[in-house]
Each structure stands twice: as structure tokens, then as C-alpha cells.
Amino acid sequence: MKTLVIIIHPDMENSVVNRRWMEELNKFPDRYTVHRLYEVYPDEKIDVAAEQKLVEQYDKIVFQFPYYWFNCPPLFKKWLDEVLTHGWAYGSKSGYKVSGKKIALAISLGVDEHEYGPTEVYKYTLEELTRPFELTFEYIKADYKPLFAYYGIEYNSSAEWIEKSVPLYLDFLNAL
């Protein structure tokens, strides 16, 4: 079964790691469906019915995005608010259309991993900071999986550092 990878990057042309991941995924159309939200909705007017229909077709869904301001890009939040509707994603008469689907986050981060933690500058782990996503997907009865994170892009955006992430990301996707 193919994996739906929803890429939410507001500036893919200037991306380094997310663009490289997308290029790699596009080499395997039999394994991954790449869905770029900012490309499909440049006006940010989401076709809710189309998004729901797309999600219904997949058992594994990964949301790929850069992490900044301790959150996701705004179009991802809007997508969650508009697509995960009462009567479709949750509610006693919804049928919980995302129930049982494997859901995961794939996040690129500018700073190094060691900077996230109780005694560090950002005080919390990434898992703690992304807890609202976990709760959201658990609320709609999805099978939320541990996230994939690739750190240090701000400090090390060399071709070697970016390439090192590619097999790690593919291994993560294949293990879902």
C-alpha cells in the first residue's frame, strides 16, 4: 500500500532538506504519493471534500514540514481545522474516517537536537512540543506513530548533511 506524504512547506523553492526529501519520494511513485499543500492551494482555500477523499484512500499518511516558531506552517493548522470535520473525522455519527490509519510527522529543524530538553535553551523535547498533534490524531482514532526529525539544518546545510537525511527518512517511511 502506498503512503500519502502531505508536504507543507511555504517556500519549497528555497528549501534544502524538504525539497531533497520530496525529490527522493518522487523517484518512487509506486510507493509514495506526494501532495504539496502550498502548491495545490496557493490561495490557501482548501477543497475540504477533495482532501477528505484523498485521505480516505490511504492507510499511511505522513505530514512533512519544517518546524519554526515551535509549530507547523500555518496551512497545516488550517488543513487540520477544515479537513478534520465533525461528522467525518469525529463525532458519534462520523464513522471516524481516519480511524486506524497510521499517521506520522516528518519534521526538519534548524537547531541541533541537544538544544531541546529540560536543561537546554528550548526547555522541552520535540515530542513534548508536538503533543497537540499527537492528541489531535488520537482524538480522531488514528494510529499516531512516533515522529521523524532531522535537526541542525540552520547550522549544517551542506550537501553531505542533507544527503545523510535521505536514507534515514526513507527507512522511517518504510517502517510505518
Side-chain angles (χ1 to χ4, degrees), residues 7 9 12 15-22 64-66 108:
I7 301 175
H9 196 299
M12 188 60 87
S15 166
V16 287
V17 73
N18 280 275
R19 185 177 68 228
R20 179 63 188 96
W21 292 349
M22 180 185 68
Q64 175 188 314
F65 59 93
S108 60

Side-chain angles (χ1 to χ4, degrees), residues 7-167:
I7 301 175
I8 313 111
H9 196 299
D11 188 13
M12 188 60 87
E13 299 307 314
N14 291 308
S15 166
V16 287
V17 73
N18 280 275
R19 185 177 68 228
R20 179 63 188 96
W21 292 349
M22 180 185 68
E23 291 167 354
E24 194 66 23
L25 296 176
N26 284 332
K27 292 178 183 178
F28 304 99
D30 57 318
R31 292 167 51 195
Y32 310 108
T33 298
V34 173
H35 182 56
R36 294 175 55 188
L37 284 188
Y38 277 96
E39 182 180 75
V40 175
Y41 303 113
D43 60 359
E44 299 189 15
K45 293 181 181 166
I46 296 171
D47 182 338
V48 172
E51 292 298 306
Q52 290 174 339
K53 184 177 179 183
L54 181 65
V55 166
E56 288 177 10
Q57 296 174 44
Y58 295 87
D59 292 328
K60 296 188 283 185
I61 303 161
V62 174
F63 294 92
Q64 175 188 314
F65 59 93
Y67 193 71
Y68 52 81
W69 292 117
F70 310 101
N71 215 317
C72 63
L75 191 54
F76 185 20
K77 176 64 169 104
K78 183 174 181 162
W79 188 96
L80 292 169
D81 290 344
E82 294 184 9
V83 175
L84 302 181
T85 58
H86 182 269
W88 182 78
Y90 67 98
S92 61
K93 298 177 184 174
S94 71
Y96 287 90
K97 301 294 185 184
V98 187
S99 176
K101 294 180 184 289
K102 294 179 181 180
I103 304 282
L105 306 178
I107 305 173
S108 60
L109 298 98
V111 300
D112 291 329
E113 184 174 8
H114 72 82
E115 295 183 74
Y116 288 96
T119 61
E120 300 301 326
V121 67
Y122 298 115
K123 300 181 185 177
Y124 304 97
T125 65
L126 184 59
E127 288 75 13
E128 290 171 313
L129 292 167
T130 57
R131 188 78 27 93
F133 295 103
E134 178 181 350
L135 293 172
T136 295
F137 290 115
E138 287 178 354
Y139 185 78
I140 62 172
K141 301 185 181 190
D143 183 9
Y144 184 80
K145 298 297 184 184
L147 59 84
F148 173 81
Y150 198 68
Y151 298 86
I153 303 305
E154 181 180 334
Y155 303 121
N156 188 357
S157 59
S158 69
E160 294 81 17
W161 185 249
I162 302 305
E163 281 308 307
K164 182 181 174 190
S165 72
V166 174

